[in-house]
Amino acid sequence: MKKLFLTGCVSLLIFSCSKKENTPVDATSSETTNISEAKSNLSGDQIIETLDCSGCHAVNERMIGPSYQEIADKYSEKDMELLASKIIEGGSGVWGSVPMAPHPQVSKEDAKKMVEYILSQKK
């Protein structure tokens, strides 16, 4: 029973952590550049909306991952680099056994905007 539950959770995680946009693989493509430039003009919460974050996180309630308020309560501005890196590279073990998927398509600058937004949710 426990194995079945864990398999279901992992399946849900894989399904919900796929990116919503269809970014071209060719990094030299002008379309890729335009997507990156367009995201750079967005605020942290807007960048979050373009990604798969809401499949695992909500502002004030724990889902598969912690709520943004829980994250904001645990971390501070001094953790900006660490949290931005976790968005880009993924992570595991801090909030439970379900790993956070990496988001390598997110620039360091955009990840920091996302972290600023998340930290602004402090209770």
Short mmCIF file of all heavy atoms in Angstrom, two decimals, residues 53-119:
data_model
loop_
_atom_site.label_atom_id
_atom_site.label_comp_id
_atom_site.label_asym_id
_atom_site.label_seq_id
_atom_site.Cartn_x
_atom_site.Cartn_y
_atom_site.Cartn_z
N CYS A 53 5.13 25.82 -11.26
CA CYS A 53 5.22 25.94 -9.80
C CYS A 53 3.90 25.63 -9.08
O CYS A 53 3.89 25.02 -8.02
CB CYS A 53 5.70 27.33 -9.41
SG CYS A 53 7.23 27.82 -10.23
N SER A 54 2.78 26.06 -9.66
CA SER A 54 1.49 25.90 -8.98
C SER A 54 1.05 24.44 -8.89
O SER A 54 0.13 24.12 -8.16
CB SER A 54 0.41 26.73 -9.69
OG SER A 54 0.21 26.24 -11.00
N GLY A 55 1.73 23.56 -9.58
CA GLY A 55 1.43 22.14 -9.45
C GLY A 55 1.87 21.58 -8.12
O GLY A 55 1.36 20.57 -7.65
N CYS A 56 2.83 22.25 -7.47
CA CYS A 56 3.38 21.77 -6.20
C CYS A 56 3.32 22.79 -5.07
O CYS A 56 3.46 22.42 -3.91
CB CYS A 56 4.84 21.36 -6.38
SG CYS A 56 5.07 19.98 -7.54
N HIS A 57 3.15 24.08 -5.40
CA HIS A 57 3.19 25.14 -4.39
C HIS A 57 1.98 26.07 -4.50
O HIS A 57 1.46 26.30 -5.59
CB HIS A 57 4.45 26.01 -4.58
CG HIS A 57 5.73 25.26 -4.51
ND1 HIS A 57 6.32 24.90 -3.32
CD2 HIS A 57 6.54 24.79 -5.49
CE1 HIS A 57 7.45 24.25 -3.58
NE2 HIS A 57 7.60 24.16 -4.89
N ALA A 58 1.58 26.61 -3.36
CA ALA A 58 0.54 27.64 -3.30
C ALA A 58 1.04 28.72 -2.34
O ALA A 58 1.98 28.50 -1.58
CB ALA A 58 -0.78 27.06 -2.81
N VAL A 59 0.40 29.86 -2.35
CA VAL A 59 0.84 30.97 -1.49
C VAL A 59 0.73 30.61 -0.02
O VAL A 59 1.68 30.78 0.73
CB VAL A 59 0.05 32.26 -1.80
CG1 VAL A 59 0.38 33.35 -0.79
CG2 VAL A 59 0.36 32.74 -3.21
N ASN A 60 -0.43 30.12 0.40
CA ASN A 60 -0.63 29.95 1.84
C ASN A 60 -1.05 28.56 2.28
O ASN A 60 -1.51 28.38 3.40
CB ASN A 60 -1.65 30.99 2.35
CG ASN A 60 -2.96 30.89 1.63
OD1 ASN A 60 -3.18 30.00 0.82
ND2 ASN A 60 -3.86 31.80 1.93
N GLU A 61 -0.90 27.56 1.42
CA GLU A 61 -1.20 26.20 1.86
C GLU A 61 -0.20 25.22 1.28
O GLU A 61 0.22 25.35 0.14
CB GLU A 61 -2.63 25.79 1.51
CG GLU A 61 -2.88 25.59 0.04
CD GLU A 61 -4.30 25.15 -0.25
OE1 GLU A 61 -4.58 23.94 -0.20
OE2 GLU A 61 -5.13 26.03 -0.53
N ARG A 62 0.18 24.26 2.10
CA ARG A 62 1.12 23.23 1.69
C ARG A 62 0.42 22.30 0.70
O ARG A 62 -0.71 21.89 0.93
CB ARG A 62 1.60 22.45 2.91
CG ARG A 62 2.59 21.35 2.57
CD ARG A 62 3.01 20.63 3.83
NE ARG A 62 4.01 21.39 4.53
CZ ARG A 62 5.31 21.13 4.47
NH1 ARG A 62 5.74 20.13 3.73
NH2 ARG A 62 6.15 21.87 5.15
N MET A 63 1.12 22.00 -0.37
CA MET A 63 0.61 21.02 -1.34
C MET A 63 1.63 19.88 -1.39
O MET A 63 1.99 19.36 -0.35
CB MET A 63 0.40 21.70 -2.69
CG MET A 63 -0.71 22.75 -2.65
SD MET A 63 -0.91 23.72 -4.16
CE MET A 63 -1.07 22.52 -5.43
N ILE A 64 2.12 19.57 -2.56
CA ILE A 64 3.21 18.59 -2.68
C ILE A 64 4.47 19.17 -2.05
O ILE A 64 5.23 18.48 -1.40
CB ILE A 64 3.43 18.20 -4.16
CG1 ILE A 64 2.22 17.44 -4.68
CG2 ILE A 64 4.70 17.37 -4.31
CD1 ILE A 64 2.22 17.20 -6.16
N GLY A 65 4.67 20.46 -2.27
CA GLY A 65 5.79 21.19 -1.67
C GLY A 65 5.27 22.21 -0.68
O GLY A 65 4.07 22.39 -0.51
N PRO A 66 6.18 22.92 -0.03
CA PRO A 66 5.78 23.92 0.97
C PRO A 66 5.08 25.11 0.33
O PRO A 66 5.28 25.40 -0.85
CB PRO A 66 7.10 24.33 1.60
CG PRO A 66 8.10 24.11 0.52
CD PRO A 66 7.63 22.89 -0.22
N SER A 67 4.29 25.82 1.13
CA SER A 67 3.67 27.06 0.64
C SER A 67 4.74 28.14 0.56
O SER A 67 5.80 28.04 1.19
CB SER A 67 2.56 27.51 1.59
OG SER A 67 3.11 27.98 2.80
N TYR A 68 4.47 29.17 -0.20
CA TYR A 68 5.41 30.29 -0.29
C TYR A 68 5.57 30.95 1.08
O TYR A 68 6.66 31.41 1.42
CB TYR A 68 4.97 31.30 -1.34
CG TYR A 68 4.95 30.72 -2.74
CD1 TYR A 68 3.97 31.09 -3.65
CD2 TYR A 68 5.90 29.81 -3.17
CE1 TYR A 68 3.94 30.56 -4.93
CE2 TYR A 68 5.88 29.27 -4.44
CZ TYR A 68 4.90 29.66 -5.32
OH TYR A 68 4.87 29.13 -6.58
N GLN A 69 4.51 30.98 1.87
CA GLN A 69 4.61 31.56 3.21
C GLN A 69 5.54 30.74 4.10
O GLN A 69 6.33 31.30 4.86
CB GLN A 69 3.22 31.67 3.86
CG GLN A 69 2.39 32.78 3.28
CD GLN A 69 1.01 32.87 3.90
OE1 GLN A 69 0.56 31.97 4.58
NE2 GLN A 69 0.33 33.98 3.63
N GLU A 70 5.46 29.42 4.00
CA GLU A 70 6.36 28.57 4.78
C GLU A 70 7.82 28.81 4.40
O GLU A 70 8.70 28.88 5.25
CB GLU A 70 6.04 27.09 4.57
CG GLU A 70 4.76 26.62 5.22
CD GLU A 70 4.48 25.17 4.90
OE1 GLU A 70 4.17 24.86 3.74
OE2 GLU A 70 4.59 24.34 5.83
N ILE A 71 8.06 28.94 3.09
CA ILE A 71 9.42 29.20 2.61
C ILE A 71 9.90 30.55 3.13
O ILE A 71 11.02 30.68 3.63
CB ILE A 71 9.47 29.15 1.06
CG1 ILE A 71 9.12 27.74 0.56
CG2 ILE A 71 10.85 29.58 0.56
CD1 ILE A 71 8.84 27.65 -0.92
N ALA A 72 9.04 31.56 3.03
CA ALA A 72 9.39 32.91 3.48
C ALA A 72 9.66 32.94 4.97
O ALA A 72 10.53 33.69 5.43
CB ALA A 72 8.29 33.89 3.11
N ASP A 73 8.94 32.14 5.73
CA ASP A 73 9.15 32.10 7.19
C ASP A 73 10.47 31.41 7.55
O ASP A 73 11.07 31.73 8.58
CB ASP A 73 7.98 31.40 7.88
CG ASP A 73 6.71 32.24 7.87
OD1 ASP A 73 6.79 33.46 7.64
OD2 ASP A 73 5.62 31.65 8.09
N LYS A 74 10.92 30.49 6.71
CA LYS A 74 12.14 29.74 7.00
C LYS A 74 13.40 30.46 6.51
O LYS A 74 14.47 30.32 7.10
CB LYS A 74 12.06 28.36 6.35
CG LYS A 74 13.24 27.47 6.63
CD LYS A 74 13.03 26.07 6.11
CE LYS A 74 14.19 25.20 6.48
NZ LYS A 74 13.79 23.90 6.95
N TYR A 75 13.29 31.22 5.43
CA TYR A 75 14.45 31.84 4.80
C TYR A 75 14.36 33.37 4.85
O TYR A 75 13.31 33.92 5.15
CB TYR A 75 14.59 31.38 3.35
CG TYR A 75 14.87 29.90 3.22
CD1 TYR A 75 13.85 28.99 2.95
CD2 TYR A 75 16.16 29.41 3.36
CE1 TYR A 75 14.11 27.63 2.83
CE2 TYR A 75 16.43 28.06 3.23
CZ TYR A 75 15.40 27.18 2.97
OH TYR A 75 15.66 25.83 2.85
N SER A 76 15.47 34.02 4.52
CA SER A 76 15.50 35.49 4.49
C SER A 76 16.26 35.95 3.24
O SER A 76 16.73 35.13 2.45
CB SER A 76 16.18 36.03 5.74
OG SER A 76 17.56 35.72 5.73
N GLU A 77 16.39 37.25 3.09
CA GLU A 77 17.09 37.84 1.95
C GLU A 77 18.50 37.28 1.79
O GLU A 77 19.00 37.18 0.69
CB GLU A 77 17.15 39.36 2.08
CG GLU A 77 15.79 40.05 2.01
CD GLU A 77 15.18 40.01 0.63
OE1 GLU A 77 15.93 40.10 -0.37
OE2 GLU A 77 13.95 39.86 0.54
N LYS A 78 19.14 36.93 2.90
CA LYS A 78 20.51 36.42 2.82
C LYS A 78 20.57 35.05 2.13
O LYS A 78 21.65 34.61 1.73
CB LYS A 78 21.17 36.36 4.21
CG LYS A 78 20.57 35.36 5.16
CD LYS A 78 21.30 35.38 6.50
CE LYS A 78 20.59 34.59 7.53
NZ LYS A 78 20.84 33.20 7.62
N ASP A 79 19.44 34.40 1.97
CA ASP A 79 19.37 33.10 1.31
C ASP A 79 18.99 33.20 -0.17
O ASP A 79 18.70 32.18 -0.80
CB ASP A 79 18.35 32.22 2.05
CG ASP A 79 18.72 32.00 3.49
OD1 ASP A 79 19.86 31.58 3.76
OD2 ASP A 79 17.86 32.26 4.36
N MET A 80 19.00 34.41 -0.71
CA MET A 80 18.57 34.64 -2.10
C MET A 80 19.32 33.75 -3.09
O MET A 80 18.70 33.09 -3.93
CB MET A 80 18.79 36.12 -2.45
CG MET A 80 18.40 36.51 -3.84
SD MET A 80 16.65 36.73 -4.07
CE MET A 80 16.35 38.11 -3.03
N GLU A 81 20.64 33.71 -3.03
CA GLU A 81 21.44 32.90 -3.96
C GLU A 81 21.11 31.42 -3.83
O GLU A 81 20.95 30.73 -4.83
CB GLU A 81 22.93 33.13 -3.72
CG GLU A 81 23.44 34.48 -4.13
CD GLU A 81 23.49 34.68 -5.64
OE1 GLU A 81 23.70 33.70 -6.40
OE2 GLU A 81 23.30 35.84 -6.07
N LEU A 82 21.02 30.94 -2.60
CA LEU A 82 20.70 29.53 -2.35
C LEU A 82 19.36 29.16 -2.96
O LEU A 82 19.24 28.16 -3.67
CB LEU A 82 20.68 29.26 -0.84
CG LEU A 82 20.12 27.90 -0.42
CD1 LEU A 82 21.12 26.80 -0.73
CD2 LEU A 82 19.75 27.91 1.05
N LEU A 83 18.34 29.96 -2.69
CA LEU A 83 17.00 29.65 -3.18
C LEU A 83 16.91 29.77 -4.69
O LEU A 83 16.25 28.96 -5.35
CB LEU A 83 15.97 30.54 -2.49
CG LEU A 83 15.82 30.29 -0.99
CD1 LEU A 83 14.89 31.33 -0.37
CD2 LEU A 83 15.34 28.89 -0.69
N ALA A 84 17.57 30.78 -5.27
CA ALA A 84 17.59 30.91 -6.73
C ALA A 84 18.24 29.68 -7.36
O ALA A 84 17.75 29.15 -8.37
CB ALA A 84 18.31 32.19 -7.13
N SER A 85 19.31 29.20 -6.75
CA SER A 85 19.98 28.00 -7.26
C SER A 85 19.08 26.77 -7.15
O SER A 85 19.07 25.92 -8.03
CB SER A 85 21.28 27.75 -6.48
OG SER A 85 22.21 28.75 -6.78
N LYS A 86 18.29 26.68 -6.06
CA LYS A 86 17.38 25.54 -5.91
C LYS A 86 16.29 25.56 -6.99
O LYS A 86 15.87 24.50 -7.45
CB LYS A 86 16.75 25.53 -4.52
CG LYS A 86 17.71 25.04 -3.46
CD LYS A 86 16.98 24.87 -2.15
CE LYS A 86 17.90 24.31 -1.10
NZ LYS A 86 17.85 22.86 -1.02
N ILE A 87 15.84 26.74 -7.37
CA ILE A 87 14.84 26.83 -8.44
C ILE A 87 15.45 26.29 -9.73
O ILE A 87 14.82 25.50 -10.44
CB ILE A 87 14.35 28.28 -8.63
CG1 ILE A 87 13.49 28.69 -7.43
CG2 ILE A 87 13.58 28.43 -9.95
CD1 ILE A 87 13.15 30.17 -7.38
N ILE A 88 16.66 26.69 -10.03
CA ILE A 88 17.31 26.30 -11.29
C ILE A 88 17.76 24.85 -11.27
O ILE A 88 17.54 24.11 -12.23
CB ILE A 88 18.50 27.25 -11.58
CG1 ILE A 88 17.98 28.68 -11.80
CG2 ILE A 88 19.29 26.76 -12.79
CD1 ILE A 88 19.06 29.75 -11.79
N GLU A 89 18.39 24.42 -10.17
CA GLU A 89 19.01 23.09 -10.11
C GLU A 89 18.12 22.02 -9.48
O GLU A 89 18.42 20.83 -9.57
CB GLU A 89 20.31 23.19 -9.31
CG GLU A 89 21.32 24.12 -9.95
CD GLU A 89 22.48 24.47 -9.04
OE1 GLU A 89 22.64 23.83 -7.97
OE2 GLU A 89 23.22 25.41 -9.38
N GLY A 90 17.04 22.42 -8.80
CA GLY A 90 16.20 21.47 -8.09
C GLY A 90 16.78 21.21 -6.70
O GLY A 90 17.81 21.78 -6.34
N GLY A 91 16.11 20.39 -5.94
CA GLY A 91 16.59 20.10 -4.60
C GLY A 91 15.75 19.02 -3.96
O GLY A 91 14.73 18.61 -4.49
N SER A 92 16.21 18.56 -2.79
CA SER A 92 15.44 17.55 -2.06
C SER A 92 15.88 17.50 -0.61
O SER A 92 16.95 17.96 -0.26
CB SER A 92 15.63 16.17 -2.69
OG SER A 92 16.98 15.77 -2.56
N GLY A 93 15.00 16.94 0.21
CA GLY A 93 15.33 16.65 1.59
C GLY A 93 15.01 17.73 2.60
O GLY A 93 14.92 17.45 3.78
N VAL A 94 14.83 18.97 2.19
CA VAL A 94 14.58 20.05 3.14
C VAL A 94 13.13 20.01 3.62
O VAL A 94 12.86 20.21 4.80
CB VAL A 94 14.91 21.42 2.51
CG1 VAL A 94 14.56 22.56 3.46
CG2 VAL A 94 16.37 21.49 2.11
N TRP A 95 12.19 19.74 2.72
CA TRP A 95 10.77 19.80 3.04
C TRP A 95 10.10 18.44 3.00
O TRP A 95 8.88 18.34 3.02
CB TRP A 95 10.06 20.75 2.07
CG TRP A 95 10.55 22.15 2.18
CD1 TRP A 95 11.49 22.74 1.40
CD2 TRP A 95 10.15 23.13 3.13
NE1 TRP A 95 11.69 24.04 1.80
CE2 TRP A 95 10.88 24.30 2.87
CE3 TRP A 95 9.24 23.14 4.19
CZ2 TRP A 95 10.73 25.46 3.61
CZ3 TRP A 95 9.09 24.29 4.94
CH2 TRP A 95 9.82 25.44 4.64
N GLY A 96 10.85 17.38 2.89
CA GLY A 96 10.27 16.05 2.81
C GLY A 96 10.99 15.23 1.76
O GLY A 96 12.02 15.61 1.23
N SER A 97 10.38 14.10 1.41
CA SER A 97 11.04 13.16 0.52
C SER A 97 10.79 13.43 -0.97
O SER A 97 11.48 12.86 -1.81
CB SER A 97 10.60 11.74 0.86
OG SER A 97 9.20 11.63 0.67
N VAL A 98 9.83 14.27 -1.31
CA VAL A 98 9.54 14.53 -2.72
C VAL A 98 10.50 15.61 -3.22
O VAL A 98 10.52 16.73 -2.70
CB VAL A 98 8.08 14.99 -2.92
CG1 VAL A 98 7.81 15.28 -4.38
CG2 VAL A 98 7.12 13.93 -2.41
N PRO A 99 11.32 15.29 -4.23
CA PRO A 99 12.29 16.28 -4.73
C PRO A 99 11.62 17.36 -5.56
O PRO A 99 10.58 17.13 -6.18
CB PRO A 99 13.24 15.43 -5.59
CG PRO A 99 12.41 14.28 -6.03
CD PRO A 99 11.43 14.01 -4.91
N MET A 100 12.23 18.54 -5.56
CA MET A 100 11.77 19.61 -6.44
C MET A 100 12.50 19.47 -7.77
O MET A 100 13.72 19.32 -7.80
CB MET A 100 12.08 20.98 -5.84
CG MET A 100 11.54 22.11 -6.69
SD MET A 100 11.67 23.68 -5.87
CE MET A 100 12.55 24.59 -7.12
N ALA A 101 11.74 19.50 -8.84
CA ALA A 101 12.32 19.37 -10.17
C ALA A 101 13.17 20.59 -10.51
O ALA A 101 12.85 21.71 -10.11
CB ALA A 101 11.21 19.22 -11.21
N PRO A 102 14.25 20.39 -11.25
CA PRO A 102 15.07 21.52 -11.69
C PRO A 102 14.36 22.32 -12.79
O PRO A 102 13.52 21.78 -13.51
CB PRO A 102 16.34 20.86 -12.22
CG PRO A 102 15.95 19.48 -12.59
CD PRO A 102 14.82 19.11 -11.68
N HIS A 103 14.70 23.58 -12.88
CA HIS A 103 14.15 24.46 -13.91
C HIS A 103 15.32 25.18 -14.60
O HIS A 103 15.51 26.38 -14.42
CB HIS A 103 13.18 25.46 -13.28
CG HIS A 103 12.00 24.80 -12.65
ND1 HIS A 103 12.04 24.27 -11.37
CD2 HIS A 103 10.77 24.54 -13.13
CE1 HIS A 103 10.87 23.73 -11.10
NE2 HIS A 103 10.08 23.88 -12.15
N PRO A 104 16.11 24.43 -15.38
CA PRO A 104 17.32 25.01 -15.99
C PRO A 104 17.03 26.09 -17.01
O PRO A 104 17.93 26.87 -17.35
CB PRO A 104 18.00 23.79 -16.63
CG PRO A 104 16.89 22.82 -16.87
CD PRO A 104 15.91 23.04 -15.74
N GLN A 105 15.80 26.19 -17.46
CA GLN A 105 15.44 27.22 -18.43
C GLN A 105 15.28 28.60 -17.78
O GLN A 105 15.17 29.61 -18.47
CB GLN A 105 14.15 26.84 -19.19
CG GLN A 105 12.86 26.99 -18.40
CD GLN A 105 12.52 25.82 -17.47
OE1 GLN A 105 13.36 25.02 -17.11
NE2 GLN A 105 11.25 25.74 -17.08
N VAL A 106 15.28 28.66 -16.45
CA VAL A 106 15.11 29.92 -15.72
C VAL A 106 16.48 30.56 -15.51
O VAL A 106 17.41 29.90 -15.02
CB VAL A 106 14.42 29.68 -14.35
CG1 VAL A 106 14.31 30.96 -13.56
CG2 VAL A 106 13.04 29.05 -14.56
N SER A 107 16.61 31.82 -15.87
CA SER A 107 17.87 32.53 -15.67
C SER A 107 18.06 32.83 -14.19
O SER A 107 17.09 32.86 -13.42
CB SER A 107 17.90 33.84 -16.47
OG SER A 107 17.00 34.77 -15.88
N LYS A 108 19.29 33.08 -13.78
CA LYS A 108 19.58 33.43 -12.38
C LYS A 108 18.82 34.69 -12.00
O LYS A 108 18.25 34.79 -10.92
CB LYS A 108 21.09 33.61 -12.21
CG LYS A 108 21.52 33.79 -10.79
CD LYS A 108 21.39 32.49 -10.01
CE LYS A 108 22.58 32.32 -9.11
NZ LYS A 108 22.58 31.10 -8.36
N GLU A 109 18.78 35.67 -12.91
CA GLU A 109 18.07 36.93 -12.66
C GLU A 109 16.57 36.68 -12.42
O GLU A 109 15.99 37.22 -11.48
CB GLU A 109 18.25 37.86 -13.87
CG GLU A 109 17.53 39.17 -13.77
CD GLU A 109 17.67 40.00 -15.04
OE1 GLU A 109 18.73 39.96 -15.68
OE2 GLU A 109 16.69 40.68 -15.40
N ASP A 110 15.96 35.86 -13.25
CA ASP A 110 14.53 35.55 -13.08
C ASP A 110 14.29 34.73 -11.82
O ASP A 110 13.28 34.94 -11.13
CB ASP A 110 13.98 34.83 -14.31
CG ASP A 110 13.79 35.76 -15.50
OD1 ASP A 110 13.86 36.99 -15.31
OD2 ASP A 110 13.56 35.27 -16.61
N ALA A 111 15.19 33.80 -11.51
CA ALA A 111 15.05 33.01 -10.28
C ALA A 111 15.09 33.93 -9.06
O ALA A 111 14.32 33.74 -8.11
CB ALA A 111 16.14 31.95 -10.20
N LYS A 112 15.94 34.94 -9.09
CA LYS A 112 16.01 35.89 -7.97
C LYS A 112 14.72 36.71 -7.86
O LYS A 112 14.26 36.98 -6.75
CB LYS A 112 17.22 36.82 -8.12
CG LYS A 112 18.53 36.13 -7.83
CD LYS A 112 19.69 37.09 -7.97
CE LYS A 112 21.00 36.41 -7.67
NZ LYS A 112 22.14 37.35 -7.77
N LYS A 113 14.12 37.06 -8.98
CA LYS A 113 12.83 37.75 -8.95
C LYS A 113 11.76 36.86 -8.31
O LYS A 113 10.93 37.32 -7.53
CB LYS A 113 12.37 38.14 -10.35
CG LYS A 113 13.14 39.28 -10.98
CD LYS A 113 12.58 39.55 -12.36
CE LYS A 113 13.36 40.57 -13.13
NZ LYS A 113 12.80 40.79 -14.47
N MET A 114 11.80 35.58 -8.65
CA MET A 114 10.85 34.63 -8.08
C MET A 114 11.05 34.53 -6.56
O MET A 114 10.08 34.54 -5.80
CB MET A 114 11.03 33.25 -8.73
CG MET A 114 10.67 33.22 -10.20
SD MET A 114 11.24 31.73 -11.05
CE MET A 114 10.23 30.48 -10.28
N VAL A 115 12.30 34.47 -6.13
CA VAL A 115 12.62 34.38 -4.70
C VAL A 115 12.17 35.65 -3.98
O VAL A 115 11.60 35.57 -2.89
CB VAL A 115 14.12 34.10 -4.48
CG1 VAL A 115 14.48 34.22 -3.00
CG2 VAL A 115 14.52 32.74 -5.03
N GLU A 116 12.38 36.79 -4.59
CA GLU A 116 11.92 38.06 -3.98
C GLU A 116 10.42 38.01 -3.73
O GLU A 116 9.94 38.40 -2.67
CB GLU A 116 12.27 39.25 -4.86
CG GLU A 116 13.73 39.63 -4.82
CD GLU A 116 14.07 40.76 -5.78
OE1 GLU A 116 13.15 41.43 -6.30
OE2 GLU A 116 15.27 40.96 -6.03
N TYR A 117 9.69 37.54 -4.72
CA TYR A 117 8.24 37.42 -4.57
C TYR A 117 7.89 36.44 -3.45
O TYR A 117 7.05 36.73 -2.58
CB TYR A 117 7.56 36.98 -5.88
CG TYR A 117 6.14 36.55 -5.67
CD1 TYR A 117 5.14 37.51 -5.42
CD2 TYR A 117 5.78 35.22 -5.65
CE1 TYR A 117 3.83 37.13 -5.18
CE2 TYR A 117 4.48 34.83 -5.41
CZ TYR A 117 3.51 35.79 -5.18
OH TYR A 117 2.21 35.42 -4.92
N ILE A 118 8.53 35.28 -3.45
CA ILE A 118 8.24 34.26 -2.44
C ILE A 118 8.54 34.79 -1.04
O ILE A 118 7.73 34.66 -0.12
CB ILE A 118 9.03 32.96 -2.73
CG1 ILE A 118 8.48 32.32 -4.01
CG2 ILE A 118 8.95 32.00 -1.54
CD1 ILE A 118 9.37 31.21 -4.59
N LEU A 119 9.68 35.46 -0.88
CA LEU A 119 10.04 35.98 0.44
C LEU A 119 9.11 37.11 0.87
O LEU A 119 8.96 37.36 2.07
CB LEU A 119 11.51 36.46 0.44
CG LEU A 119 12.55 35.35 0.28
CD1 LEU A 119 13.95 35.95 0.26
CD2 LEU A 119 12.42 34.29 1.37
#
